[in-house]
Amino acid sequence: MTKAELIDAITTKLGMRKKDVAPVVDEVFAEIQGALSKGDKCTFVGFGVFEVRERAAREGRNPQDPTKIVKIPAKKVPVFRPGKDLKDAVVDTEINK
């Protein structure tokens, strides 16, 4: 699902206009991004948790020349952990088909 498809789905379900829904969806994404950039965690009960984790520095190898070692620096990465309700919804739909 793309952002445009999400806006269409919300528009259809709530009977609203796209021009009213689109700014709300954009603002939700902007707020999540802003919170993560500050190092905060975004918790949505039943859906999941967005958070930032520190990835440690490590050494990697060039796949074209495995003798060459490349240093990969430490960095922060966004992570999503699904909540129980989301996990159950996905598992139930896959098993029952």
Side-chain angles (χ1 to χ4, degrees), residues 20-58:
D20 295 332
V21 173
V24 174
V25 172
D26 289 338
E27 190 58 31
V28 168
F29 290 149
E31 287 298 319
I32 292 171
Q33 181 178 345
L36 293 177
S37 68
K38 289 189 270 181
D40 294 340
K41 187 187 302 188
C42 296
T43 303
F44 303 102
V45 176
F47 183 72
V49 178
F50 292 94
E51 63 186 339
V52 177
R53 289 192 186 155
E54 183 79 27
R55 188 174 287 170
R58 60 191 172 94

Side-chain angles (χ1 to χ4, degrees), residues 1-12 17-33:
M1 174 178 275
T2 64
K3 185 163 79 168
E5 291 171 338
L6 176 63
I7 291 169
D8 287 340
I10 294 170
T11 301
T12 303
R17 297 180 304 183
K18 280 186 186 182
K19 73 178 196 175
D20 295 332
V21 173
V24 174
V25 172
D26 289 338
E27 190 58 31
V28 168
F29 290 149
E31 287 298 319
I32 292 171
Q33 181 178 345

Side-chain angles (χ1 to χ4, degrees), residues 79-93:
V79 177
F80 176 74
R81 287 181 314 174
K84 183 179 182 331
D85 293 346
L86 180 58
K87 285 181 194 175
D88 291 345
V90 171
V91 169
D92 288 346
T93 57

